[in-house]
Amino acid sequence: MTSPATSTTLPVIVIGAGPAGLAAAAHLVDRDIDPLVLETGPAAGAAVRQWGHVRLFSTWSEVVDPAAEKLLAPTGWTAPDGRTYPSGADWATLYLQPLADVLGDKVRYGATVTGVSRQGRDRIVDADREQQPFTVRVVNADGSEERIPARAVIDASGTWSTPSPIGGDGLPALGEHAAADQISYRIPDLKDPATRARYAGKRTAVIGSGASAFTALAYLADLAQFDDGAGTHATWILRRGISGSTFGGGEADQLPARGALGLAAKAAVDEGFADAVTGFRTDAVERDTDGRLTLIAEDGRRLDPVDEVIVLTGLRPDLSFVSELRLGLDERLQAPVELAPLIDPNQHSCGTVYPHGVNELSHPEKDLYLVGMKSYGRAPTFLAMTGYEQVRSIAAHLAGDREAAERVELTLPETGVCGGAGLFDERPAATEETGGGCCAAPATLTIAGQSASSGGC
């Protein structure tokens, strides 16, 4: 048996060197707790770098964690202009990598976590469970394997690696895998020549209704206005109908760049660069004899053939490597049970989430925490500020500072989006009070260049 005194000398394992993971490490260091960050990629912010061409809708002042800035200050690091909007590449190179460099050997790259459990205890065993340290199984870049003991585990691995499929039932549409070479699950980087050629002059279906879909529509509409993009057209596929909240908060959004995304998507439709197809829940994808793809809905409707499909239907957490732990997850969102009601799109689409910390993020497995994007499970609209508040609270808890752990140190911006149930047009009577009709239809916004700001933070 490992005594509590011995277990507290072990590191806190943080999975993922992204924004939330590195912020967690900074807060732990500030509390004199030793972290070890395990990152599967070759550099900090490996997932962020994959959407480096996309601009955040949060300003620099909203995506730099206070404890991280404190750690960086002695190195001479200067925060970028807090009023400006970084791209994903800016965020990774100008903030995340310098932060990881300061943490030094507390960050390990090429370390893929394949399992987390309690030492000598699978998820069935009760006996002395909480007295045992965690054991984290890692596969290193050279193929070697090891187990690392830990006093606590903070899983900040995100959801980037597991995008949701086309199918309206959460499963891949029939034919989706067979057509994989013409389907992408990412916002295209149209500054990359090969990617630009893939979509230029083509008809592309964009499936999704969030910030990522807005951004893809804006990018494709912009491409259509260049000589090399003549004929580019998007078919925007929504599972719901169009209402006043379809395009987000518009000018009412306290994050102006996020509001502008919805306005840009509306402009793409208004100006003829995209057609909107509503109430379309895809069941199958068929490839025609000419190589084009036809999408077929659950109700039998068939769309005109397209050359490419961009699927931006959300992300979901990979829970496979924590399956031996006792998780308390909501059965719908796969988010912690205390957090889920605050973010459930079945109940609201407002996106205003009460700042939360260790109480809402705790699981039956003591000292295990899912943070950052992963804490939201399948729910959308996560903000970096939310993740920073989460890990601040958790670090305070692990340090024994209960008062700081339970103190709220964050005020989140309103989205300006009102409405009831966020997944279907039909609103259950029990949620009618979440309506309110505060959102007018957004005005048209002219798209100029590839500068539409996007989420991902």
Side-chain angles (χ1 to χ4, degrees):
M1 181 186 301
T2 303
S3 70
T6 302
S7 66
T8 56
T9 65
L10 297 175
V12 173
I13 295 290
V14 179
I15 305 173
L22 292 175
H27 281 278
L28 291 167
V29 168
D30 191 52
R31 291 282 185 171
D32 295 321
I33 298 174
D34 187 29
L36 176 60
V37 183
L38 302 175
E39 167 59 48
T40 190
V48 174
R49 293 171 192 269
Q50 292 185 43
W51 51 267
H53 59 289
V54 179
R55 195 164 300 279
L56 279 69
F57 51 63
S58 297
T59 61
W60 269 114
S61 65
E62 296 160 336
V63 298
V64 173
D65 175 76
E69 188 167 13
K70 177 181 176 182
L71 197 61
L72 283 162
T75 70
W77 182 84
T78 302
D81 184 345
R83 299 166 295 178
T84 60
Y85 296 89
S87 65
D90 295 335
W91 202 16
T93 59
L94 301 180
Y95 168 63
L96 297 177
Q97 193 60 58
L99 177 55
D101 292 343
V102 169
L103 290 165
D105 61 6
K106 298 182 188 302
V107 180
R108 285 177 49 182
Y109 302 112
T112 301
V113 175
T114 59
V116 184
S117 188
R118 288 283 185 177
Q119 184 172 294
R121 307 288 189 274
D122 62 19
R123 65 183 299 164
I124 299 174
V125 179
D126 291 331
D128 299 322
R129 186 175 190 84
E130 292 187 359
Q131 285 69 49
Q132 304 306 310
F134 289 95
T135 179
V136 180
R137 186 176 183 275
V138 178
V139 177
N140 297 305
D142 62 3
S144 62
E145 300 176 328
E146 62 179 310
R147 287 190 175 91
I148 305 174
R151 60 170 287 196
V153 173
I154 299 175
D155 182 357
S157 60
T159 55
W160 177 255
S161 64
T162 46
S164 297
I166 292 177
D169 56 6
L171 301 175
L174 300 177
E176 181 171 347
H177 292 321
D181 57 330
Q182 290 170 262
I183 299 175
S184 170
Y185 301 85
R186 310 300 186 197
I187 299 170
D189 180 2
L190 297 181
K191 291 182 179 179
D192 174 73
T195 304
R196 192 175 182 89
R198 175 175 179 175
Y199 296 100
K202 305 289 183 61
R203 295 186 64 87
T204 299
V206 177
I207 306 176
S209 58
S212 294
F214 294 165
T215 304
L217 289 167
Y219 283 8
L220 292 170
D222 183 44
L223 174 60
Q225 299 175 69
F226 286 84
D227 290 342
D228 67 334
T232 302
H233 191 82
T235 299
W236 184 21
I237 299 173
L238 299 99
R239 293 171 179 170
R240 301 179 63 203
I242 291 180
S243 66
S245 63
T246 295
F247 299 98
E251 295 174 359
D253 198 320
Q254 289 184 17
L255 292 176
R258 180 172 58 188
L261 283 175
L263 301 180
K266 187 173 188 298
V269 175
D270 288 346
E271 297 173 10
F273 298 115
D275 298 319
V277 178
T278 61
F280 193 97
R281 305 181 75 81
T282 309
D283 180 66
V285 180
E286 288 185 357
R287 198 193 305 262
D288 298 338
T289 55
D290 62 359
R292 306 182 83 193
L293 303 180
T294 297
L295 303 182
I296 305 168
E298 293 174 350
D299 60 9
R301 280 185 292 164
R302 301 172 68 93
L303 298 185
D304 291 339
V306 296
D307 302 290
E308 298 284 343
V309 178
I310 299 175
V311 185
L312 299 168
T313 54
L315 304 163
R316 53 184 61 176
D318 177 6
L319 300 170
S320 61
F321 59 87
V322 289
S323 61
E324 285 305 314
L325 298 174
R326 298 176 177 181
L327 303 177
L329 297 177
D330 178 78
E331 66 274 11
R332 294 161 297 179
L333 298 185
Q334 295 178 299
V337 291
E338 296 297 324
L339 174 61
L342 305 178
I343 60 177
D344 187 354
N346 285 292
Q347 303 301 322
H348 61 81
S349 58
C350 285
T352 298
V353 180
Y354 180 84
H356 53 278
V358 68
N359 289 338
E360 293 83 359
L361 297 170
S362 293
H363 292 271
E365 197 73 69
K366 184 176 180 292
D367 291 336
L368 167 73
Y369 305 98
L370 276 55
V371 303
M373 280 290 296
K374 192 162 188 176
S375 71
Y376 267 41
R378 299 191 183 200
T381 64
F382 186 83
L383 295 173
M385 293 181 289
T386 301
Y388 297 160
E389 174 69 0
Q390 290 177 341
V391 298
R392 181 205 62 78
S393 173
I394 291 167
H397 170 74
L398 292 174
D401 187 346
R402 192 66 191 174
E403 188 277 330
E406 297 186 352
R407 185 173 62 239
V408 174
E409 296 185 3
L410 174 66
T411 301
L412 290 172
E414 299 280 350
T415 66
V417 180
C418 300
L423 298 182
F424 273 85
D425 288 325
E426 298 80 3
R427 297 179 182 176
T431 65
E432 283 298 317
E433 69 274 13
T434 63
C438 67
C439 303
T444 299
L445 177 73
T446 301
I447 305 166
Q450 290 192 30
S451 60
S453 300
S454 183
C457 64

